[in-house]
């Protein structure tokens, strides 16, 4: 039997973490037999001031990442960089062991493409869409509207272009609120239906 995994995609400040967090809380409140639990991936990028190691990501050195890759413990590898912007490329990945106790993975289009090659996974992909101007306002409120953020947006536009054009996702959820319980509830409903085999796949 293939493992069910919900992959969540969206550009920076689209509300992915908030949406997943709300869904996880609803799952616990409802006492679901299969609780929603997010994968915490590894990354070689520096930790931001509002992040905690082990919450958003496990922040590791390039040396440790290289060692893990040599030992073939990883999957869903992706590297985000843009030679034209001069931004250093950072790596993101998870391990097979981490997937055992989780069923939600916040990931990018490259990582999703990598995961879909795994015949042991039954994947539901959900794209959290938020207009660019709203994402910009969110970034500015968090004092994150910097050169790094602008370069990140530029890199993402290139990476998400094909993904959006070809609709390489199963479901799309629009998130236009600052803190939207409705968005999280809709995502929860999708996840619950998928994990209990009640979701009609598109």
């Amino acid at each position: 039997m293939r493992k069910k995994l919900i992959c969540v995609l969206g550009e920076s400040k689209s509300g992915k973490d908030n949406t997943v967090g709300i869904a996880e809380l609803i799952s616990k409140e409802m006492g679901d037999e299969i609780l929603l639990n997010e994968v915490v991936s590894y990354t070689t990028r520096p930790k931001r001031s509002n992040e905690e190691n082990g919450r958003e990501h496990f922040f590791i050195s390039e040396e440790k990442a290289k060692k893990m890759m040599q030992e073939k413990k990883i999957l869903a590898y992706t590297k985000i960089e843009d030679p034209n912007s001069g931004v250093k490329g950072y790596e993101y990945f998870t391990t097979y062991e981490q997937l055992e106790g989780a069923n939600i993975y916040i990931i990018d289009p490259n990582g999703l493409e990598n995961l879909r090659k795994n015949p042991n996974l039954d994947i539901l992909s959900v794209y959290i869409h938020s207009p660019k101007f709203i994402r910009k306002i969110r970034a500015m409120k968090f004092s994150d509207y910097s050169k790094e953020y602008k370069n990140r947006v530029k890199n993402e536009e290139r990476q998400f272009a094909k993904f959006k054009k070809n609709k390489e996702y199963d479901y799309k959820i629009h998130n236009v609120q600052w803190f939207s319980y409705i968005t999280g509830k809709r995502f929860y409903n999708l996840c619950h239906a998928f994990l209990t085999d009640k979701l009609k796949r598109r």
Side-chain angles (χ1 to χ4, degrees), residues 4-157:
K4 290 180 176 292
L5 183 65
I6 301 119
C7 288
V8 182
L9 303 95
E11 294 90 342
S12 294
K13 303 301 180 185
S14 61
K16 301 183 296 293
D17 291 322
N18 184 40
T19 298
V20 170
I22 291 172
E24 287 179 318
L25 286 175
I26 293 174
S27 179
K28 290 177 183 178
E29 290 176 356
M30 296 294 289
D32 291 342
E33 185 176 342
I34 305 174
L35 288 175
L36 298 182
N37 188 25
E38 180 189 349
V39 174
V40 180
S41 59
Y42 290 91
T43 182
T44 58
R45 76 159 171 77
K47 182 171 69 69
R48 300 185 185 113
S49 60
N50 64 326
E51 295 177 323
E52 291 182 15
N53 189 47
R55 187 179 65 186
E56 286 82 8
H57 296 284
F58 288 109
F59 299 92
I60 61 174
S61 65
E62 293 181 4
E63 291 72 22
K64 184 172 182 179
K66 184 177 181 180
K67 183 178 180 181
M68 292 178 73
M69 283 183 265
Q70 290 174 339
E71 295 173 352
K72 299 182 179 179
K73 293 182 178 180
I74 71 167
L75 74 161
Y77 173 87
T78 187
K79 187 173 185 178
I80 301 176
E81 64 180 345
D82 183 1
N84 297 323
S85 68
V87 177
K88 180 179 177 61
Y90 296 120
E91 299 165 301
Y92 296 80
F93 59 86
T94 188
T95 66
Y96 286 94
E97 184 179 358
Q98 285 177 298
L99 284 188
E100 291 180 7
N103 46 33
I104 297 178
Y105 191 8
I106 294 179
I107 199 169
D108 62 21
N110 292 340
L112 176 63
E113 186 177 352
N114 186 303
L115 275 182
R116 280 176 168 162
K117 297 175 183 177
N118 191 321
N120 298 315
L121 296 176
D122 180 11
I123 295 174
L124 175 73
S125 57
V126 181
Y127 174 43
I128 307 297
H129 173 262
S130 188
K132 188 175 180 178
F133 77 94
I134 291 181
R135 292 188 281 113
K136 178 179 177 180
I137 292 172
R138 289 173 182 158
M140 293 174 73
K141 278 185 173 287
F142 278 112
S143 300
D144 193 27
Y145 193 63
S146 60
K147 183 178 179 181
E148 179 196 355
Y149 175 76
K150 293 176 184 178
N151 285 331
R152 210 186 319 154
V153 170
K154 189 182 297 183
N155 296 346
E156 287 178 338
E157 286 177 347

Side-chain angles (χ1 to χ4, degrees), residues 14-16 18-24 26 126 128-129 138 172-191:
S14 61
K16 301 183 296 293
N18 184 40
T19 298
V20 170
I22 291 172
E24 287 179 318
I26 293 174
V126 181
I128 307 297
H129 173 262
R138 289 173 182 158
K172 180 178 180 179
I173 296 178
H174 294 275
N175 182 29
V176 296
Q177 303 296 323
W178 177 250
F179 183 87
S180 178
Y181 177 84
I182 295 175
T183 302
K185 184 65 162 61
R186 186 181 175 194
F187 176 67
Y188 164 78
N189 289 337
L190 278 174
C191 294

